[in-house]
Amino acid sequence: MRIGVLMGGRSLERDISLRSGRRVSRALQELGHDVVDFDMDESLVPNLKKARLDLVYIALHGKFGEDGTVQELLEILGIPYTGPGVFSSAMGFNKALSKEVFIRNGIPTPPFFVLSEATFEEMGALAALSTAGEKLGYPLVVKPVAQGSALGIRVVEKDADLPEAVRSALHYDDRILLEKFVSGTEVAVSILGNDELEVLPIVEVVPRGGFFDFESRYTLGATDYYCPARLPDETARRATEVALKAHRCLECQNLSRVDMIVDEEGVPMVLELNISPGMTESSLLPMAAEAAGISFTRLVERLVELAMEKYA
C-alpha cells in the first residue's frame, strides 16, 4: 500500500514523535510498502491530498496529534488512519474528562481536582489551593490536563510548594489536575485489537530517580523495566481487567496503552490512557510486544492491518 507516516508537528513532544515516526517508516519500507513521510505543518492538507494515500500511520505525540484534531482532519479527507478515532483521542488526551468517565464506570483512579487558568485570574482560586491540598493530602501530584510524556508534572510534598508547581503546570496547559499521590508499582498495559482484544504483557516501570518524568522516560539507563511486571498473578489479572474496561469505556480501536499505579493493597488505579504510544527503542508498547514474541516490524504490520480492518 501507499502509506503516509505523520510525525513531528509543533507539540513539545516533537523530537520523540520524529524518533517514533522514522522508526515506523523504516519498518513499513521493510514490509514492502510505498512510504511517504509527512511533518505536520501548514502544507499538510494539500500534501496529503496530492499523495493519494491508502492509509496514514499517525506517529504524532501530544497536542494536535493525540487530541482528535488530526484524526478529525483525516476523517474529512476520507483517509484511513491508525489508532483510535476522534472521540477516543479527545477523551484520552484530556486527563480530567477521561478520569470522570472512569469514575462513572467504576474504574479506580486517584482522587483529583481540576482548576483552570481562568479560575486563578478571574476568581481568586489561589486562595483555594491550600484547601485542595488538605483534602487530597500530601504528597500530591500537579499535572497539566492535556499534555503527554509527563511534561509539566511535579510531585508536591508540602503546602508552601503548591503555588509554584501550579504556575509551572500552567505553562503547559490552561487547565491543571491536582491529584492524590499514590504509592505503589507503576505499570503500563498495552492493548491491541478492534472487536477481539489482545492484552500484551504488563510492563513495570521503576525510575531510578523515583518519578517517571520526561528525563526518566527518554534518558538511557534512567529507568529499569520489567516485562512481564513483577506482580502477583491475581493482581496482574485485575490490572488487565481494569485496562480492558478503560479501553472499552473510551471506545478505543486498534490500540491503547493504559498507565496505572498498583497501590500497596494491590488495587490498580488508572492514571491515563494513551491513544498514540511512543514507538522509540525505549517505548513501552514495543517493549510489551517484544515480550509477547512480536517483533517491531510485525507490530507495525499488525497496527496497519487493524486500521484497514476498521475501515473495511
Side-chain angles (χ1 to χ4, degrees):
M1 293 190 297
R2 186 166 171 80
I3 300 177
V5 179
L6 190 49
M7 67 181 89
R10 293 175 179 170
S11 84
L12 295 171
E13 298 176 75
R14 172 179 173 81
D15 289 345
I16 306 304
S17 172
L18 289 171
R19 285 168 54 187
S20 289
R22 289 166 183 156
R23 194 176 184 214
V24 166
S25 182
R26 289 194 297 270
L28 289 170
Q29 291 175 54
E30 289 173 12
L31 290 164
H33 297 292
D34 181 12
V35 182
V36 184
D37 293 341
F38 295 90
D39 198 335
M40 191 171 71
D41 56 26
E42 62 277 0
S43 64
L44 178 63
V45 172
N47 287 339
L48 286 173
K49 293 177 77 172
K50 288 178 191 173
R52 300 185 179 276
L53 301 169
D54 298 304
L55 176 76
V56 164
Y57 189 109
I58 298 176
L60 292 165
H61 307 317
K63 192 175 182 182
F64 304 135
E66 291 189 71
D67 61 3
T69 302
V70 77
Q71 289 81 1
E72 188 78 74
L73 183 60
L74 292 168
E75 296 274 357
I76 293 170
L77 296 175
I79 304 174
Y81 57 88
T82 58
V86 176
F87 172 80
S88 309
S89 302
M91 294 295 290
F93 193 62
N94 188 309
K95 298 179 181 69
L97 290 179
S98 57
K99 281 166 75 73
E100 291 287 358
V101 172
F102 297 152
I103 290 168
R104 281 158 175 71
N105 286 275
I107 297 172
T109 188
F112 68 102
F113 295 117
V114 181
L115 290 169
S116 70
E117 190 171 34
T119 62
F120 291 101
E121 293 177 350
E122 301 178 22
M123 304 177 196
L126 192 62
L129 279 184
S130 291
T131 304
E134 289 172 11
K135 290 185 174 181
L136 292 171
Y138 290 96
L140 60 79
V141 183
V142 179
K143 60 178 74 171
V145 164
Q147 190 56 260
S149 290
L151 289 164
I153 296 182
R154 286 197 189 181
V155 177
V156 178
E157 300 284 349
K158 58 183 185 294
D159 185 71
D161 296 334
L162 189 52
E164 176 55 33
V166 166
R167 279 191 288 270
S168 176
L170 285 170
H171 287 305
Y172 294 88
D173 190 52
D174 61 2
R175 300 180 76 216
I176 59 163
L177 274 174
L178 306 179
E179 186 179 71
K180 182 179 178 64
F181 179 85
V182 177
S183 296
T185 304
E186 186 159 359
V187 298
V189 185
S190 298
I191 298 169
L192 302 177
N194 292 323
D195 295 327
E196 296 183 12
L197 301 178
E198 176 186 1
V199 181
L200 299 179
I202 300 172
V203 180
E204 178 184 348
V205 177
V206 185
R208 295 183 182 180
F211 186 66
F212 197 41
D213 57 11
F214 186 87
E215 288 72 22
S216 297
R217 290 166 189 249
Y218 301 112
T219 302
L220 188 65
T223 300
D224 295 321
Y225 301 97
Y226 300 89
C227 189
R230 301 170 300 175
L231 297 173
D233 291 344
E234 178 59 23
T235 303
R237 183 190 65 77
R238 276 195 304 237
T240 297
E241 288 179 353
V242 168
L244 283 168
K245 194 170 183 180
H247 178 96
R248 292 183 175 118
C249 280
L250 297 192
E251 301 179 17
C252 294
Q253 293 179 301
N254 288 199
L255 81 157
S256 74
R257 195 193 75 218
V258 183
D259 296 342
M260 58 181 77
I261 290 282
V262 178
D263 72 13
E264 293 169 347
E265 292 167 4
V267 177
M269 308 191 79
V270 175
L271 300 175
E272 62 180 293
L273 181 146
N274 297 274
I275 61 92
S276 183
M279 296 290 277
T280 71
E281 289 78 3
S282 61
S283 295
L284 304 181
L285 171 59
M287 193 181 302
E290 184 179 353
I294 303 170
S295 69
F296 183 79
T297 302
R298 174 56 188 147
L299 173 62
V300 170
E301 183 179 40
R302 178 84 185 280
L303 293 173
V304 167
E305 291 169 351
L306 288 169
M308 298 308 295
E309 177 186 292
K310 180 175 68 172
Y311 287 95

